[in-house]
Amino acid sequence: MLARIAATCFNWAGSPHPRLEQAGFRRKAVAVARGRQQNLFGGDDPAGPAPWELAEQQDLLAAQIVFNLPAGDTWTYLVPDPLRDLIQPGQRVRAPFGRGNRMETGFCVAVGPPEDYSRRLKSIAEILDREPLAPPEMLELSRWIGERYLCSWGQVLNNVIPAAVRKQAGTRVVQSLQPSAEAPLLMQHLKLTPLQQRVMQVLEQAGRPLRIDELTEAAGCGTGPVTLLRQKGLIEALRERKSSHDLEQEEVAAVEDLQLNEDQAGALQQIQAVIESRAYRTILLHGVTGSGKTEIYIQAIREVVSYGRQAIVLVPEISLTPQTIRRFRSRFPRVAVLHSHLSPSERHWYWQQISRGEVQVVVGARSAVFAPTPHLGLIVIDEEHETTFKQDTTPRYHAREVARRRAEMEQIPLVLGTATPTLESWWRADQGEDLLVSLPRRVSSLPLPPVVIVDIRNDPQCSRGASIGRALENAMRTTLNVGGQVILFLNLRGFAPTLWCRACGESVRCPSCDITLTWHRDRQRSICHFCDYETGAITTCPSCGNAGIRYLGTGTQRLEEEVKAKFGGFRCLRMDSDSMRKPGSHDTALAAFGAGEVDILLGTQMIAKGLDFPNVTLVGVVDADTMLSQPDLRASERTFQLIAQVAGRTGRGDRGGRVFVQTSSPADPAILRAAEHDYLGFATAELRQRKEAEAPPFQVLARVIFRGELEPQVREGAKQVAGHLRQVAEEQKLAVRVLGPAPAPVARLRGMFRYHLQLSASELAPLQQLWNAAASGMPENSTFELTVDVDPVSMR
Ligand SMILES: [Zn+2]
Ligand SMILES: [Zn+2]
């Protein structure tokens, strides 16, 4: 009996997945250490049969189950006899939970004999999936994420397995039917009823496989004749492959590998050496904008694919443009694209295809790091500095760190590509932990564009309320008059970002957030960009009732108006999330710009990255101060990144290019270094400051955020939690600093008051220890919610 279990199930005596074995039990040890009382809610059943009372106790089988609950424990359940041959780690099960034994869905993460025969256990009620939804590697990775980001294993699994996959995993595969190869021969020898003949006729005339419902409807019959024909061998069933998105994939002409220049070839060689070593290594590919990083990724992927392995390429959601996708599709026949606009059935379909190994390259946003590739050979993260790689809901993981862990588990290389590395990644490479590969020049030796810093404090036009100063305006005229194109960047959308009362000096805020409303003139609405609250035009001040509301500041809509007024003869196009709502509008707009039908392209982040148009000879950063003034430890880093990225949109053709950066802080080091294209200088100086300030990458941070409807309760709760954490840190002698609590920079959001506190330590381990140790005695209170964010990228 035991031998059979070992063969069919995962069993930790002779486990094929030693890492998983540890996984199941480390968490359980924690649960047991926390005391019996908690276990009562999970698998323990005081009324159930005691294992030692059961006759064949050596035959008992137990499963470790995790639930999508914040309490991060692993619960032990008995596997009843009828289910013991079916259960596998990675499947979902239904099991009674808590004192009331309500049925909860959880994931089975390990199976084996119960470790502790002295406990009475509840039994699993039902197994929901025929096949595991998560392979062993995914189980291990999700366990690690739970530990790394201080949330529960069950919460992670629930998030990484797409809802569509969970929902459809249990449903039957839809089949389509077609005449079998033997059908013509069989029809000569078998006597078919008229109805059966009709079915065969319909199938032959259809000229394509039909689903059973299509077939029965067209033939005007029930399923009976179809079943009989299948039994006789006249009809064969195919796995359903037709899917609306599947074949809508446009045909892309194959493109040969491009010739690499010397720098690129050298970089590719270094990556290939790591691929061939069949070992884990992270490579930071630091290449200036326009240095041809994508071509290097593609040729490295080609090598991996030639071994029959797959590659995952993560790009920021905003870069998942048709151009990017076409670029990969023209080089690899089987590419899957995972983005947030996929329908559930599309997501499910891709997931299946990927897990069958039918896809060579997965291109996708953050969550594509979980793509279930069977033989992964390489992970690439393009634009590694982008903040969208961090998830802002539980589990609050960073795709770069998950990719690092996954690459390590699978012993493969991870390539991080960027022109402006995060200081965390730069520091690691600089210390020799990761391999630094540099591309200091643009392809075909085009120079980086000269950057002019324009001080707008004394500009006569700006002091009269214009957004485009005299220098930028003159440069635009010169450029446009000789047929060049212009890109203007401003990262504020709407018309006016501030509605300000002249009488009392207050700004008009969203009724549920501590955020000023933005006036959108095209729609005649005042909108909160956080919660999407909207109302009409505001004429009287909500604070004092005065009628003197002024619409201050410049968003992209007002900028568009100014451009149109100043450059009447030229065509201008605005790209932001308001003007690009319709699917496909992004592609259409860029195509028009590429074809020269538009002279001035203005917009938000949407135009800051990836665009490559040789005729763009001028880029204007309308307001470099918007990023710099954020109350965020990374404000300088983001400003540098932004200017470098936007500047990278020009000087890509023979006609060269120029960049104008308007600012009222012309001496700021981030702006000065960006203007000199001096990443190294910026990173060195900024790292020195971070070290002095005890900020990342020299410290690990976690932010604890408290939210609730009543301000005093939230404040009080935050104080209690802070006190508890300080006490535990002191008792256990953990070197963790607890700062706060204080009102969060956005003190109210969606009607909830917010407080936060910050934990910092020189490494992650004491921080994790503190959080886990503090979990049991955490002040219980239903008047506020608490979330913890490890390595936060947003401080708001
Ligand atoms: Zn007022
Ligand atoms: Zn709001």
Side-chain angles (χ1 to χ4, degrees):
M1 183 73 177
L2 269 179
R4 186 168 53 86
I5 297 169
T8 53
C9 308
F10 171 76
N11 180 313
W12 44 83
S15 149
H17 305 294
R19 277 193 301 261
L20 187 65
E21 177 186 333
Q22 284 177 352
F25 288 84
R26 201 171 323 142
R27 287 310 280 240
K28 200 184 123 204
V30 173
V32 173
R34 283 189 203 163
R36 278 298 169 80
Q37 180 250 338
Q38 270 194 327
N39 277 318
L40 279 176
F41 291 89
D44 277 15
D45 182 5
W52 65 90
E53 292 164 5
L54 296 174
E56 300 176 68
Q57 59 169 267
Q58 61 273 49
D59 261 5
L60 287 179
L61 189 64
Q64 303 290 322
I65 310 295
V66 296
F67 296 95
N68 178 21
L69 298 166
D73 296 306
T74 306
W75 311 100
T76 307
Y77 283 82
L78 281 180
V79 181
D81 255 345
L83 300 183
R84 55 190 298 155
D85 288 345
L86 301 174
I87 193 150
Q88 294 180 63
Q91 286 169 326
R92 288 168 313 149
V93 300
R94 304 267 296 158
F97 189 83
R99 291 209 173 88
N101 279 336
R102 66 174 191 278
M103 281 296 163
E104 287 277 352
T105 302
F107 275 88
C108 170
V109 294
V111 180
E115 192 184 59
D116 177 2
Y117 281 89
S118 67
R119 287 164 59 198
R120 297 166 190 258
L121 298 170
K122 294 181 191 175
S123 292
I124 287 169
E126 189 187 356
I127 299 175
L128 296 180
D129 311 305
R130 200 181 303 168
E131 297 294 327
L133 298 189
E137 298 78 19
M138 174 93 77
L139 287 178
E140 163 58 13
L141 191 64
S142 51
R143 181 194 64 75
W144 178 85
I145 293 171
E147 283 190 356
R148 174 76 175 70
Y149 293 99
L150 306 178
C151 57
S152 82
W153 193 352
Q155 285 176 315
V156 181
L157 274 171
N158 198 59
N159 183 269
V160 305
I161 313 275
V165 173
R166 278 180 270 135
K167 211 156 52 198
Q168 297 189 22
T171 62
R172 222 151 37 92
V173 177
V174 183
Q175 291 176 326
S176 53
L177 305 166
Q178 67 179 20
S180 68
E182 301 78 39
L185 189 70
L186 288 171
M187 276 167 78
Q188 289 173 13
H189 294 93
L190 292 175
K191 201 167 168 359
L192 301 184
T193 66
L195 216 54
Q196 290 171 345
Q197 285 176 18
R198 169 116 193 85
V199 170
M200 291 308 293
Q201 213 178 352
V202 167
L203 266 186
E204 275 158 16
Q205 284 169 357
R208 66 173 173 94
L210 295 180
R211 284 198 320 269
I212 185 135
D213 55 319
E214 291 175 318
L215 176 58
T216 50
E217 194 189 319
C221 66
T223 55
V226 181
T227 311
L228 283 169
L229 286 166
R230 280 191 65 185
Q231 285 167 358
K232 290 180 179 167
L234 283 111
I235 292 182
E236 63 184 14
L238 301 173
R239 190 188 276 270
E240 169 72 292
R241 292 185 148 268
K242 193 178 74 61
S243 175
S244 53
H245 43 278
D246 168 16
L247 303 168
E248 126 211 332
Q249 272 190 13
E250 56 180 323
E251 283 293 316
V252 180
V255 172
E256 294 289 303
D257 282 356
L258 304 181
Q259 183 70 39
L260 300 182
N261 67 24
E262 204 178 307
D263 289 341
Q264 287 175 304
L268 179 62
Q269 258 176 21
Q270 295 193 62
I271 297 171
Q272 280 169 335
V274 179
I275 294 173
E276 277 150 26
S277 73
R278 308 237 162 172
Y280 158 71
R281 188 89 209 253
T282 293
I283 301 149
L284 178 61
L285 181 61
H286 175 221
V288 297
T289 54
S291 57
K293 293 185 287 289
T294 310
E295 188 61 29
I296 298 175
Y297 307 150
I298 286 175
Q299 297 196 20
I301 293 169
R302 176 157 336 282
E303 166 130 1
V304 165
V305 166
S306 75
Y307 300 146
R309 292 184 162 220
Q310 300 91 36
I312 294 177
V313 182
L314 302 184
V315 300
E317 179 86 38
I318 208 166
S319 306
L320 271 175
T321 56
Q323 288 98 315
T324 314
I325 295 161
R326 226 173 276 139
R327 195 144 179 208
F328 283 93
R329 289 215 165 118
S330 69
R331 312 297 281 280
F332 300 97
R334 298 196 304 277
V335 176
V337 180
L338 303 178
H339 54 79
S340 60
H341 302 302
L342 287 179
S343 72
S345 75
E346 286 172 322
R347 195 168 288 279
H348 179 245
W349 187 80
Y350 273 131
W351 188 269
Q352 299 293 329
Q353 254 207 338
I354 294 166
S355 63
R356 287 195 299 265
E358 290 167 9
V359 165
Q360 295 166 319
V361 187
V362 180
V363 182
R366 182 177 62 226
S367 63
V369 72
F370 301 112
T373 48
H375 303 291
L376 190 59
L378 177 67
I379 307 177
V380 173
I381 302 185
D382 190 30
E383 311 284 358
E384 97 39 69
H385 60 275
E386 280 294 317
T387 53
T388 54
F389 288 123
K390 179 85 157 61
Q391 173 146 302
D392 60 4
T393 52
T394 306
R396 294 165 183 266
Y397 66 88
H398 198 299
R400 180 185 59 226
E401 299 313 307
V402 175
R404 202 189 283 284
R405 176 67 186 157
R406 186 165 177 191
E408 204 180 331
M409 282 169 55
E410 309 206 14
Q411 289 293 298
I412 56 166
L414 164 66
V415 176
L416 307 175
T418 173
T420 50
T422 54
L423 289 176
E424 285 84 352
S425 296
W426 178 256
W427 175 245
R428 287 181 65 103
D430 199 48
Q431 296 295 297
E433 282 180 56
D434 295 343
L435 179 64
L436 176 65
V437 175
S438 294
L439 296 169
R441 282 177 289 267
R442 288 185 152 185
V443 286
S444 31
S445 301
L446 292 168
L448 285 163
V451 178
V452 181
I453 299 174
V454 183
D455 184 351
I456 51 167
R457 286 173 301 182
N458 306 315
D459 185 280
Q461 293 184 186
C462 293
S463 54
R464 283 199 303 271
S467 303
I468 300 175
R470 184 175 282 168
L472 179 57
E473 184 179 332
N474 288 342
M476 285 175 73
R477 286 204 192 286
T478 320
T479 304
L480 293 166
N481 286 338
V482 295
Q485 287 171 297
V486 177
I487 288 181
L488 290 182
F489 173 83
L490 178 65
N491 63 345
L492 290 170
R493 62 191 177 92
F495 188 83
T498 307
L499 311 183
W500 180 75
C501 170
R502 208 166 9 185
C504 69
E506 288 286 323
S507 301
V508 181
R509 285 165 193 274
C510 168
S512 22
C513 308
D514 187 16
I515 293 292
T516 57
L517 294 179
T518 295
W519 174 240
H520 284 240
R521 193 153 85 175
D522 55 349
R523 294 166 55 206
Q524 295 286 304
R525 307 296 281 168
S526 306
I527 301 175
C528 169
H529 285 178
F530 276 61
C531 72
D532 293 330
Y533 162 85
E534 53 179 84
T535 181
I538 290 170
T539 46
T540 52
C541 171
S543 304
C544 72
N546 189 284
I549 296 287
R550 293 180 61 184
Y551 290 46
L552 298 182
T554 299
T556 44
Q557 288 177 16
R558 181 173 267 178
L559 180 64
E560 181 184 22
E561 195 179 82
E562 189 178 330
V563 168
K564 282 183 171 161
K566 281 182 172 154
F567 300 93
F570 296 96
R571 292 149 299 179
C572 167
L573 179 72
R574 172 167 62 90
M575 278 184 82
D576 54 30
S577 53
D578 299 307
S579 69
M580 297 287 129
R581 273 167 200 273
K582 263 192 279 169
S585 51
H586 192 265
D587 203 24
T588 316
L590 291 182
F593 189 60
E597 291 158 20
V598 170
D599 303 299
I600 304 163
L601 181 67
L602 69 90
T604 54
Q605 277 89 327
M606 215 173 255
I607 61 166
K609 313 179 171 76
L611 308 190
D612 184 355
F613 297 110
N615 196 37
V616 174
T617 51
L618 177 68
V619 164
V621 177
V622 175
D623 185 357
D625 305 341
T626 49
M627 279 282 182
L628 209 52
S629 57
Q630 301 283 322
D632 191 309
L633 70 95
R634 294 185 179 85
S636 285
E637 185 179 342
R638 304 241 164 93
T639 302
F640 182 93
Q641 285 166 354
L642 197 73
I643 295 176
Q645 294 291 340
V646 177
R649 300 311 115 220
T650 185
R652 287 169 169 257
D654 308 333
R655 303 171 66 183
R658 287 188 298 165
V659 181
F660 279 66
V661 176
Q662 300 193 132
T663 174
S664 44
S665 321
D668 186 273
I671 293 179
L672 284 175
R673 301 283 188 188
E676 290 159 5
H677 305 290
D678 180 11
Y679 177 80
L680 186 62
F682 169 74
T684 310
E686 182 70 12
L687 278 171
R688 202 179 305 128
Q689 289 203 357
R690 295 269 186 100
K691 191 161 197 171
E692 275 165 26
E694 300 195 354
F698 302 99
Q699 292 276 305
V700 182
L701 299 187
R703 212 179 146 218
V704 188
I705 303 141
F706 304 83
R707 326 182 302 147
E709 283 170 13
L710 300 167
E711 206 254 351
Q713 265 92 332
V714 180
R715 186 179 54 221
E716 203 42 46
K719 265 190 202 161
Q720 284 178 13
V721 170
H724 175 61
L725 287 167
R726 284 195 181 98
Q727 194 191 338
V728 176
E730 200 181 305
E731 282 166 10
Q732 309 222 353
K733 303 203 176 358
L734 295 168
V736 180
R737 211 153 53 127
V738 183
L739 270 178
V746 178
R748 198 156 164 260
L749 197 58
R750 296 189 177 89
M752 297 281 199
F753 289 93
R754 303 167 84 236
Y755 273 74
H756 68 166
L757 55 91
Q758 184 178 294
L759 313 179
S760 67
S762 59
E763 51 188 0
L764 185 64
L767 226 153
Q768 286 172 317
Q769 283 165 26
L770 172 59
W771 192 255
N772 290 329
S776 57
M778 206 61 107
E780 296 245 354
N781 198 327
S782 56
T783 55
F784 66 91
E785 268 173 44
L786 163 166
T787 49
V788 59
D789 188 1
V790 179
D791 302 337
V793 297
S794 163
M795 298 292 178
R796 73 181 190 218

